[in-house]
Amino acid sequence: MTPDNPAAQPLTTQELDLARDSMLGDRFMIRFSEDTLKHRPLGIRLIIEFIGTFILVTVAAGSGVINHYVGGGPISRTAAVIAPGAVVMAMIYALGPLSGLHINPAVTLAFTGRRVFKAAWVLPYLLVQFAGAVCAALVLQAMYSHVAAGGNYPIAKPGGEWRSLVMEIILTAILVTVILNTATGYRSIGHNAALAVGSTVALLGLFASPISGASMNPARTLGPDIVSWDFTGWWIYIVGPLAGAAIAVMMIGLVRGLPAKAEREAAEGGALPLER
C-alpha cells in the first residue's frame, strides 16, 4: 500500500544528492562571503592612497611644469583644471572601493570628524598622501625641472593672501560637502560620486584657480613646495582646506544628523571584495 502522506515516502538517491549539493552550495557561499568581504588590510589601503595622490599631483601640477618646460602655454587654464577633475573621476571608479580614495588630508580629517573613519588610520593615511605628493613632484622635477611652476600660490595682488585663504576655505567646504553627501555605501563608488566629485573639482578650478590655484588639498600644494623649496603662502593651503573641511562636517551634521553605516563603508572603502 502507498502511504496517504507523500512526505512519509523515503527520498530517492537522486533527491538526497540534490539536497546534499544544495547544502554544500549554501556553505560555500557563506564561507566565500566571509573570506572575500573581510576588511581590507591597512597596507593595501595605504598603497592605494599613495598611488592615488601620486597620480593626482602628477596631473594637477604637471600642466604648469610642462607649460614652463616647453616655453609656452599649450595647456590652457581650462584644460589644466579639468584634467585633475577628470582623473579624480576615473580613480573613484577604479580605486575608490579599495581605500575610500581620500587622496587629500582634508578629506581624511573630514571623514574622521564625521566619525566614519578609524582614528588609528588617520596618521598613516596622511603620511602616504604627502609621500605620494612629494614623489610625484620629484618625478616632475627630474623630468622637466622647475617643479615650482606646478605649485599653488596666492594671487599676486594687494590682499592676495587673505583673499586666497577665504577662497580655499569656501572651495574646500563645497568639495567636502559634496564628498560627504555622496558617501552613502555603493553610491560612493558608483557613477554618482565619480561624476559629482570629479565635476566639482573641475568646476571650482574653472572659476577660482586664478585666485588661489583652487588646491583644496594640502598634499597637492605642499608636495611641489617641498621639492622646489618655495613656500610662498604655504600656510594658506593648510589652514584653508582644514577650515573648509571643518565647516563641511558641521553642516552635514546639522542636516543629516548621526552618520549611517553606509558612510563608514564609503569612507573606509569596504564595498568591494578582496580575495585571499
Side-chain angles (χ1 to χ4, degrees), residues 2-246:
T2 302
D4 293 334
N5 184 5
Q9 296 180 359
L11 296 175
T12 66
T13 303
Q14 184 178 7
E15 289 172 333
L16 288 172
D17 289 341
L18 288 173
R20 183 186 61 202
D21 292 344
S22 177
M23 292 177 60
L24 290 175
D26 290 342
R27 290 177 60 188
F28 172 79
M29 290 305 299
I30 293 171
R31 181 63 182 274
F32 177 80
S33 297
E34 292 175 347
D35 288 347
T36 62
L37 298 179
K38 65 183 182 299
H39 278 297
R40 187 164 288 102
L42 177 60
I44 292 178
R45 300 170 188 272
L46 297 181
I47 291 171
I48 297 302
E49 286 297 308
F50 177 90
I51 293 172
T53 312
F54 179 93
I55 293 171
L56 173 62
V57 175
T58 298
V59 172
S63 58
V65 173
I66 291 172
N67 271 342
H68 189 282
Y69 175 76
V70 299
I75 303 174
S76 66
R77 185 176 72 85
T78 300
V81 298
I82 289 178
V87 79
V88 166
M89 187 184 305
M91 287 194 294
I92 289 175
Y93 278 119
L95 304 176
L98 300 178
S99 72
L101 199 74
H102 301 184
I103 58 176
N104 183 340
V107 173
T108 298
L109 293 173
F111 277 131
T112 306
R114 181 68 177 149
R115 297 184 179 180
V116 295
F117 189 72
K118 294 181 180 179
W121 290 358
V122 174
L123 183 58
Y125 263 58
L126 299 185
L127 290 176
V128 297
Q129 287 162 1
F130 280 107
V134 169
C135 286
L138 286 171
V139 170
L140 292 172
Q141 176 69 15
M143 293 180 65
Y144 307 111
S145 300
H146 306 291
V147 73
N152 296 124
Y153 304 103
I155 186 172
K157 295 279 187 180
E161 287 199 345
W162 74 262
R163 287 185 171 87
S164 296
L165 174 62
V166 172
M167 186 59 69
E168 285 296 310
I169 293 173
I170 294 172
L171 298 180
T172 309
I174 294 172
L175 175 62
V176 174
T177 297
V178 171
I179 291 172
L180 292 178
N181 277 287
T182 54
T184 52
Y186 287 100
R187 289 201 302 124
S188 70
I189 61 168
H191 62 279
N192 290 312
L195 293 175
V197 177
S199 61
T200 299
V201 171
L203 291 172
L204 295 180
L206 281 173
F207 85 90
S209 62
I211 303 300
S212 66
S215 171
M216 304 170 279
N217 186 335
R220 180 265 178 268
T221 295
L222 292 181
D225 283 357
I226 291 170
V227 174
S228 65
W229 210 247
D230 184 346
F231 296 98
T232 304
W234 65 272
W235 61 274
I236 293 170
Y237 302 97
I238 295 178
V239 176
L242 296 186

